[in-house]
Amino acid sequence: MLKLGAVISKPVLIKWGARYRGFARLRFTENSRGSGRWKPLKAATIRRRRQGGGSGSVASILWDLGTLIGALDFKYVRAPGQLQKYLRSGGEYSGVRVGFGGPGKMKVRGKKGKIKTSSTTIAMVAAAHQVGNAARGLPARPIIVPPDTKTLNGMADDVEVQWRRDMRGS
């Protein structure tokens, strides 16, 4: 959750949401392709994907059908699994919560490679991977993490631009 003690306009919060999703999407892409900190896929997972019609030299982590990464599109369009909630304090905007949420269902590859809709929501799948489950052999692969310095600096710039506009009275 991104919060600031000052009054922030909704357009700034919209920019913050886009900035954060851009950061999270880039990080997700790097991690899923093996250049981040996520634990690699098991050989059995890679074999199962190949049987389902997957191809290529690398099986991307958490990217079989692109559902999770799709919810991290920089543009908030209420896509399945996308969450962007504007927070208020004392009637004023105070922050934005970005992540996974809503009733959107996960698409999964069934036997023989057929795509079907699961009863599990996208948010539930993201949450399970966020923390992992050692008992089930599921390693933690955090998706929603604190923003990096570059993203935070961009957010600070957004507030400064708003402040300058407010000071000019426009």
Side-chain angles (χ1 to χ4, degrees):
M1 176 172 41
L2 308 170
K3 289 184 104 176
L4 191 67
V7 174
I8 305 168
S9 69
K10 190 170 182 181
V12 168
L13 296 180
I14 291 169
K15 286 181 186 177
W16 281 10
R19 281 188 190 277
Y20 182 81
R21 276 191 306 283
F23 155 77
R25 186 179 178 92
L26 177 61
R27 185 180 172 283
F28 185 103
T29 301
E30 290 170 352
N31 278 302
S32 73
R33 293 185 178 159
S35 59
R37 295 186 174 160
W38 288 353
K39 187 173 181 179
L41 293 174
K42 293 179 183 176
T45 302
I46 295 170
R47 276 194 308 277
R48 185 175 64 247
R49 290 219 189 139
R50 295 295 179 254
Q51 291 170 352
S55 62
S57 60
V58 177
S60 295
I61 303 165
L62 300 184
W63 200 316
D64 188 26
L65 298 174
T67 306
L68 289 173
I69 190 75
L72 292 174
D73 192 299
F74 79 94
K75 204 170 185 185
Y76 178 62
V77 293
R78 291 180 176 81
Q82 269 191 337
L83 170 73
Q84 181 155 312
K85 182 178 179 183
Y86 302 105
L87 307 175
R88 292 182 176 264
S89 178
E92 302 288 343
Y93 289 112
S94 61
V96 60
R97 180 173 290 138
V98 176
F100 295 93
K105 301 292 184 187
M106 198 70 188
K107 299 269 186 213
V108 295
R109 190 179 305 276
K111 292 182 181 177
K112 300 181 184 176
K114 186 175 180 180
I115 309 300
K116 62 181 185 173
T117 301
S118 169
S119 62
T120 306
T121 67
I122 296 165
M124 291 166 67
V125 171
H129 286 287
Q130 182 79 18
V131 297
N133 184 331
R136 294 184 56 218
L138 181 68
R141 293 186 173 115
I143 303 167
I144 303 301
V145 298
D148 64 2
T149 301
K150 180 180 176 185
T151 305
L152 289 171
N153 288 341
M155 292 171 167
D157 290 346
D158 294 337
V159 172
E160 185 175 343
V161 167
Q162 174 196 327
W163 180 80
R164 289 184 189 281
R165 284 185 185 148
D166 290 349
M167 293 302 290
R168 284 195 312 257
S170 54

